[in-house]
Amino acid sequence: GIDIREPPKQEEAPAAAPEPPPPPPAARPTTPAQPPPRSRPLVLLLGAEGARDELCALLAPRISGRVLRTRDLAAAACGEAGALGEQLRGLVKAKKVVPAPLQLHLLKRVMAGADAATSDDVAVDLLTDFPRSAGQLNQLEHAVGKVLCAVHIEGTGDSLAKSVARPLRAGGRVVDVPRGGAGLANVLAHLATLGIKTHEPRTPPPPPVAQMEPLPPEPAPAPAPARE
């Protein structure tokens, strides 16, 4: 007869284990973004506002310096169209201080401008009112490049200036000078050791002497009438 028994079941081979996915590629070490190379040296003036402005007026013409003040940059940008000008006008209207990140943006913009790299009349950037803390100094150098040195005006009672100078002093990038004209010679001598060219202040040429037009000749006297 017919064998209706089921044939013995064959044991199935165990399924092969799936191959593990390849390991992800090793992450490349990332380096922090470097600030753009500076087109000219950056020098900070640290001290009380009046002392800074006094020394700046003496120093800038001796080193072909361009004076940068965040308050001047903000005032100029207030007249611009667009979001930046609108934001600054709103701060002025509300009588609020321009925040440090916005001040840094204005500085970065003017230092990276086309005129900054092409002007032959400017050899040094003099920054007088920024940064105001060690943290802002770090942000400034990250944004625009390394500060060449800071000029600290002694005896002006500015604790903020000392806090900015402290990390720079650790790297030998601070020169302490007395206030006013007495400190100018010290600053010039120190900057000369760093490769900054100094010169006598340029005096404008004297105005041309006005040339007077010659007077017209006097008319000849009329002949006397003949006597009869």
Side-chain angles (χ1 to χ4, degrees):
I2 300 174
D3 188 357
I4 59 174
R5 291 179 301 176
E6 295 182 359
K9 295 183 179 180
Q10 297 181 355
E11 295 184 1
E12 297 181 358
E19 296 183 0
R28 296 180 180 178
T30 59
T31 56
Q34 296 297 319
R38 289 200 48 75
S39 59
R40 62 176 61 94
L42 175 60
V43 175
L44 306 181
L45 295 185
L46 306 178
E49 182 176 358
R52 294 195 310 263
D53 291 343
E54 183 182 9
L55 180 59
C56 185
L58 298 171
L59 179 60
R62 300 294 299 272
I63 58 174
S64 299
R66 176 177 64 166
V67 180
L68 298 176
R69 294 185 178 93
T70 57
R71 65 174 184 265
D72 295 339
L73 298 178
C78 272
E80 297 181 5
L84 178 60
E86 185 177 352
Q87 181 181 4
L88 288 169
R89 288 190 293 273
L91 292 171
V92 172
K93 186 177 181 180
K95 298 181 180 180
K96 293 183 178 180
V97 177
V98 178
L102 188 52
Q103 295 179 39
L104 184 60
H105 171 74
L106 293 171
L107 286 169
K108 184 177 180 180
R109 185 177 70 162
V110 74
M111 290 183 187
D115 60 328
T118 59
S119 175
D120 295 329
D121 298 330
V122 178
V124 180
D125 279 335
L126 288 174
L127 182 53
T128 67
D129 62 351
F130 193 92
R132 298 180 184 86
S133 68
Q136 291 179 6
L137 171 64
N138 183 56
Q139 295 170 4
L140 175 69
E141 293 195 309
H142 181 75
V144 303
K146 190 174 181 180
V147 171
L148 178 67
C149 75
V151 178
H152 178 233
I153 305 169
E154 297 175 320
T156 57
D158 193 342
S159 59
L160 295 178
K162 295 178 181 179
S163 67
V164 175
R166 191 173 296 114
L168 294 172
R169 196 180 298 280
R173 291 189 284 162
V174 176
V175 55
D176 298 298
V177 301
R179 179 171 181 168
L184 178 62
N186 295 0
V187 178
L188 293 175
H190 180 75
L191 293 179
T193 65
L194 301 177
I196 302 298
K197 295 182 180 180
T198 64
H199 52 76
E200 293 298 322
R202 300 172 182 174
T203 55
V209 178
Q211 300 292 333
M212 297 182 62
E213 295 183 3
L215 296 175
E218 295 183 1
R227 296 182 180 179
E228 296 184 359

